[in-house]
């Protein structure tokens, strides 16, 4: 039996979130926040953490700096049950990245120093380690600047070894959505974009048309619809799932938590409807605490929440096989 259920290659950094800031951020003034949270950030790390919290065996490779931010990130991931033995710590001019989120009354400002995230390269990866799993996942496709030219090769190699593959691109900061992405998509078994990303990648304004286009290339497509829930498509099967009614306090990491819930069920052999329902539940659960991992760090809270909501959450899924052409 392989050592891990899932291996992940990705970026690893913290999120520093400031709450209760004034609407107008006037220059040169001392502006007061009424809350702060330093929490595990980065899509890949949130995904890995929450997947391990749900009970899957997860191995994670990244590159961090030899600095306190990198150390705290590692500790958070380890505490969540993720194996970080192959994370590469590099001393040098570039330090571990950091995202500062300014939670404003009507929107967020998200400021990211990418740091080592942009420098992780193919040589940082232990391919035997990555292959010692049933499944491989990559998040934040467009943030892996140094690794990007090698991603097709990496996906092909792991597929040839017998792993199944999943991808969540997240946003493209350059808004180009091109290059090698289509080549990678042809190798992927499960694709997990949000609605905006699905439309951008397919270059179509209509979501149904975009899902149809993606489904021609990838066997399983699950699309996140934020506070409107999610949908999933596999061949002629198509399911939709309305959102769970929760008191959402923070959407950060909901998409990564959805991915974790969906894949956790998939790796246990669950059918598409169950994977979708559990992804939808995990995404909603994530929003009930600030940051992307805080809800999942509290094991008792997670157990109670999932236990309380699961039967009803699984019944939310509806089959709607006749996707519009
Ligand atoms: N307010 C909400 N109430 C209930 N469920 C929610 C809410 N917001 C998100 N979700 C659930 O979480 C899932 C993922 O959220 P979202 O669509 O924001 O992903 P995303 O855009 O990929 O987010 P990110 O990449 O920032 O983590 C949704 O598909 C839905 O199932
Ligand atoms: Mg996302």
């Amino acid at each position: 039996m392989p050592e891990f259920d899932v291996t992940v290659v990705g970026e690893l950094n913290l999120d520093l979130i400031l709450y209760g800031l004034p609407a107008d951020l006037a220059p040169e003034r001392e502006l007061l926040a009424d809350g702060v949270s330093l929490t595990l950030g980065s899509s890949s790390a949130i995904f890995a953490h929450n997947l391990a919290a749900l009970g899957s065996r997860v191995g994670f490779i990244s590159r961090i700096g030899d600095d306190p931010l990198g150390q705290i990130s590692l500790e958070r991931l380890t505490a969540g049950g993720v194996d970080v033995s192959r994370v590469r710590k590099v001393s040098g001019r570039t330090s571990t990245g950091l995202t500062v989120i300014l939670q404003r009354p009507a929107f967020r400002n998200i400021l990211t120093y990418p740091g080592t995230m942009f420098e992780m390269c193919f040589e940082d990866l232990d391919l035997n380690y990555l292959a010692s799993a049933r499944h491989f996942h990559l998040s934040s496709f467009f943030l892996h600047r140094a690794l990007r030219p090698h991603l097709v090769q990496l996906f092909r190699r792991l597929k040839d070894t017998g792993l199944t593959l999943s991808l969540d691109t997240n946003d493209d900061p350059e808004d180009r959505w091109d290059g090698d992405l289509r080549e990678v998509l042809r190798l992927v078994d499960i694709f997990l974009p949000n609605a905006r990303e699905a439309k951008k990648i397919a270059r179509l304004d209509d979501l149904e048309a975009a899902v149809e286009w993606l489904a021609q290339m990838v066997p399983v497509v699950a699309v996140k619809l934020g506070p409107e829930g999610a949908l999933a498509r596999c061949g002629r099967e198509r399911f939709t799932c309305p959102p769970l009614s929760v008191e959402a306090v923070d959407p950060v990491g909901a998409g990564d938590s959805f991915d974790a819930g969906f894949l956790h069920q998939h790796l246990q052999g669950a059918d598409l409807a169950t994977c979708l329902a559990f992804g939808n539940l995990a995404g909603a659960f994530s929003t009930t605490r600030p940051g992307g991992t805080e809800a999942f760090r509290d094991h008792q809270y997670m157990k109670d929440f999932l236990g309380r909501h699961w039967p009803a959450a699984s019944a939310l899924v509806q089959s709607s096989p006749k996707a519009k052409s």
Side-chain angles (χ1 to χ4, degrees):
M1 180 153 101
E3 191 177 348
F4 299 108
D5 295 310
V6 183
T7 44
V8 182
V9 165
E11 74 291 2
L12 175 55
N13 61 255
L14 297 173
D15 280 348
L16 177 66
I17 312 173
L18 293 174
Y19 298 94
L21 288 164
D24 180 24
L25 298 186
E28 304 297 335
R29 296 295 318 280
E30 178 93 30
L31 305 167
L32 299 180
D34 66 12
V36 64
S37 162
L38 184 67
T39 178
L40 186 65
S42 61
S43 180
S44 307
I46 293 172
F47 165 78
H49 179 280
N50 294 348
L51 183 60
L54 289 171
S56 289
R57 299 165 305 153
V58 184
F60 187 81
I61 293 190
S62 189
R63 177 185 180 121
I64 55 170
D66 191 5
D67 49 59
L69 290 178
Q71 192 53 39
I72 300 170
S73 306
L74 264 194
E75 285 164 12
R76 289 290 170 93
L77 214 41
T78 306
V82 177
D83 183 88
V84 295
S85 58
R86 300 301 196 281
V87 171
R88 196 150 168 233
K89 200 184 274 185
V90 179
S91 13
R93 280 193 317 136
T94 312
S95 56
T96 308
L98 177 71
T99 293
V100 178
I101 300 174
L102 309 181
Q103 188 73 53
R104 315 282 293 284
F107 60 89
R108 293 174 289 166
N109 293 108
I110 304 174
L111 316 168
T112 291
Y113 163 65
T116 46
M117 171 193 311
F118 277 2
E119 296 185 356
M120 178 170 58
C121 58
F122 196 63
E123 289 67 38
D124 290 334
L125 310 182
D126 179 336
L127 295 177
N128 290 330
Y129 177 88
L130 292 178
S132 62
R134 300 159 58 203
H135 184 87
F136 171 76
H137 177 85
L138 187 108
S139 296
S140 306
F141 184 84
F142 299 101
L143 295 182
H144 302 305
R145 291 226 172 140
L147 189 60
R148 176 100 176 258
H150 304 276
L151 283 179
V152 176
Q153 179 193 352
L154 176 66
F155 272 73
R156 188 165 289 132
R157 194 148 161 182
L158 292 172
K159 197 172 188 84
D160 288 347
T161 315
L163 279 76
T164 48
L165 310 171
S166 56
L167 173 71
D168 180 349
T169 56
N170 281 313
D171 195 23
D172 177 359
E174 293 178 342
D175 210 18
R176 292 162 58 108
W177 307 94
D178 57 4
D180 44 346
L181 176 59
R182 288 183 187 200
E183 230 178 305
V184 169
L185 277 177
R186 282 193 193 93
L187 299 166
V188 161
D189 299 284
I190 302 174
F191 184 44
L192 302 145
N194 67 20
R196 179 178 172 276
E197 293 152 5
K199 290 190 279 186
K200 284 281 183 180
I201 292 164
R203 301 192 191 286
L204 293 164
D205 293 332
D206 178 64
L207 179 63
E208 281 307 326
V211 173
E212 189 63 33
W213 186 88
L214 289 167
Q216 305 295 322
M217 214 180 303
V218 185
V220 176
V221 179
V223 182
K224 293 161 276 186
L225 308 173
E228 288 169 32
L231 65 87
R233 175 79 192 273
C234 175
R236 294 181 64 80
E237 275 190 307
R238 181 178 174 280
F239 294 98
T240 56
C241 193
L244 209 74
S245 177
V246 290
E247 218 170 289
V249 298
D250 188 355
V252 167
D256 312 312
S257 305
F258 174 96
D259 298 351
F262 189 101
L263 285 167
H264 180 65
Q265 286 293 337
H266 177 77
L267 289 160
Q268 294 185 50
D271 59 23
L272 185 63
T274 305
C275 295
L276 176 64
F278 202 71
N280 194 53
L281 174 63
F285 175 56
S286 170
T287 69
T288 65
R289 291 267 169 99
T293 54
E294 293 305 311
F296 290 80
R297 279 177 83 195
D298 185 338
H299 280 259
Q300 194 55 48
Y301 174 55
M302 182 179 79
K303 210 168 149 243
D304 292 347
F305 184 99
L306 298 183
R308 193 166 67 248
H309 288 283
W310 177 233
S314 68
L316 288 175
V317 174
Q318 288 169 350
S319 170
S320 43
K322 37 179 196 355
K324 287 178 221 152
S325 53

